[in-house]
Amino acid sequence: MASEKFEKPTGTQDILPGAVEKWQFIEEKARDLCRRYNYREIRTPIFEQTELFERGVGETTDIVEKEMYTFKDKGDRSMTLRPEGTAGVVRAYVQNKLYGEPDVTKLFYMGPMFRYERPQAGRYRQFHQFGVEVFGTTDPAIDAEVIALGYSFYKELGLSGVKAEINSVGTPEVRAAYRSTLLAFLEPMRDNLCSDCQSRMERNPLRVLDCKKDQEKFVNAPSILDSLDEECSTHFDKVKGYLDAMGIEYEINPRLVRGLDYYTHTAFEFKAQGIGAIDTVGGGGRFNGLVDQIGGPEQPGIGFGIGLERIQLILEHQGINLTSAKPLDVYLVALGEAAEQKLTKLIYELRSHGVAADRDYLGRKMKAQMKSADRLHARYTAILGDDELERGEIALKSMETGEQRTVKLDSLVQEFVKTSH
Ligand code: ATP
Ligand code: MG
C-alpha cells in the first residue's frame, strides 16, 4: 500500500473549525453592509478566458505579467483562474445586459482569487476578496459611497488605524499630458530603475509609480493632480467634499496610480498602520473605459477589492477576537438501548425545529458524554434513561447553573423552541 502524504499547495490555507467562525463573521459583516448600502451579490465563474484578464486587468500589470494561473483546457482553450473580481463581473454585466436596467447597478462579490506570488504573511496564492462594483453613473457621490462602504467595513469589524488614500488619475487625455511630464522626471534615473520599471517606462509610465522596489525614488515625482483638467478637478473636489461630510478619514496620495488606460478619476487604497510592509488592505477606483474595453457599451463603473486574509492579519495584530463558535443548545445522552431509539427520534425533531443538538457516537459512558457536552459548550444536557422513558419524561440539566428538572418528552422540542435564539 502506498503511504504517500499529501500537503496543501504552497501559498494556500486550510481554514479549520475554530478559525472559520472568524471568516463567517467577516463575511456576514460584508453581506450585511451590502444589504444596508443596497448592493446585490453576483457570483461569476472561478475561471475565465485568459484574454478577459489580459484586457480587463491590463497587460502591464504584475498580475498579468507574472501572477496568473493559466492553463489549457482539454479543448485547447487558454483559461485562467481569476486573479481578481472586476474583470469577471464586468464580463457578466455585459453578457447579461445588466446595463439595460433602469437603475444604477450596484453589485458585490466575495470569494477566492488566485495569483502566483511568493507566499508570506498576508500574501497567498489562493486568497479571498470582498469587492463591489457599481455601473451606470459618473456621479462623484457614488465614488464617495463606495469608499464609505469599504471604510465602514473595516470600522465595523473594529479595526483601527485604517485610512483611505485617494487620488485622481484623470481621464486618458489628462494622463497623456501627465505622461510626458512624468517621463521627463524618470528619464534621468532610467539606469537606476529596476528592469520592470524600465520596460514600463516604454509601455505605461504611470505604472512605474506603482513599483514596490523603486518606491522611494519617486517621492519627488510630479503630481498628476497638477495636470488635472477642470472636469477632473471638479469631480475630485466633490468626492473629497462628500468624504468630508461623512467624516471619513482619508489622505491624498498623488503617487497612487492604477495606471491603466480605462481607469479614470478616483483611485483609492485602504491602508492599515503598523502591520509592516503589507499594509495595503484594499484598493479600487473608477473605470469609465473598462466596460467598453470588454466589448460592452460605454458605461462608467467604480469598485474596490478588499483582501480578507489581510483583515485577519490586522485583527490578529490588534488583538481583536471576533465572536467564537455558537454553542450547542443541547447535548442528548441516552442510557440504554430503548432510550437510544427514542433519542434518535428526539434529536431529529429538535434539529428540524432549529435547535442545535448533538449526541455521542462512540458508545461512551455517561461521564465521558457529559465531558463532551462541556467541551461543546452545550447550554443544556438532556438525559434519557429507561425510567424516564417509561414515564415519558427526560431530565434536563442547565450546564450554566447546574439546575436540573424533568420535562415531558412531548414538550422537549417546545422547551427549546421557546428558549433558543
Ligand atoms: P499588493 O500590492 O499587496 O500586491 P495589489 O495591488 O496586487 O496588492 P489588488 O490587486 O489591488 O492588490 O487587490 C486588492 C486587495 O487584495 C489587496 O489590497 C490585498 O488586500 C488583497 N490581495 C492582493 N493580492 C493578495 C495575495 N496574494 N494574498 C492575499 N491578499 C491579496
Ligand atoms: Mg500584487
Side-chain angles (χ1 to χ4, degrees), residues 62-63 67 115 117 123 127 212 310:
D62 277 349
I63 294 181
E67 299 172 356
R115 296 185 193 176
E117 298 207 64
R123 194 179 292 290
F127 63 98
K212 296 211 172 67
R310 300 221 181 144

Side-chain angles (χ1 to χ4, degrees), residues 207-262:
R207 268 279 151 191
V208 172
L209 297 178
D210 210 20
C211 176
K212 296 211 172 67
K213 285 184 224 140
D214 288 334
Q215 256 318 308
E216 70 289 352
K217 298 188 180 129
F218 308 135
V219 189
N220 295 317
S223 164
I224 191 168
L225 294 174
D226 296 330
S227 301
L228 294 187
D229 61 20
E230 181 81 30
E231 184 224 335
C232 293
S233 304
T234 309
H235 185 97
F236 194 45
D237 286 342
K238 284 191 177 160
V239 175
K240 287 185 285 183
Y242 291 126
L243 292 177
D244 289 334
M246 291 186 276
I248 286 167
E249 298 157 89
Y250 66 89
E251 252 172 40
I252 294 162
N253 176 359
R255 282 186 307 281
L256 195 161
V257 289
R258 312 222 132 217
L260 305 175
D261 290 344
Y262 44 75

Side-chain angles (χ1 to χ4, degrees), residues 3-17:
S3 62
E4 201 181 338
K5 283 205 181 120
F6 294 106
E7 289 187 4
K8 62 184 159 57
T10 305
T12 64
Q13 292 192 95
D14 295 319
I15 303 173
L16 303 177

Side-chain angles (χ1 to χ4, degrees), residues 11 13 57 62-63 67 83-84 109 113-130 154 207 210 212 257-258 268-270 277-284 304-311:
Q13 292 192 95
V57 180
D62 277 349
I63 294 181
E67 299 172 356
E84 53 91 60
Y109 61 84
M113 307 293 162
F114 306 84
R115 296 185 193 176
Y116 196 83
E117 298 207 64
R118 203 165 56 78
Q120 50 187 290
R123 194 179 292 290
Y124 298 92
R125 291 185 178 168
Q126 174 170 343
F127 63 98
H128 298 78
Q129 278 186 352
F130 156 49
Y154 299 110
R207 268 279 151 191
D210 210 20
K212 296 211 172 67
V257 289
R258 312 222 132 217
F268 58 93
E269 280 184 350
F270 295 107
I278 301 198
D279 61 352
T280 305
V281 290
F304 66 61
I306 286 178
L308 300 186
E309 278 76 5
R310 300 221 181 144
I311 289 195

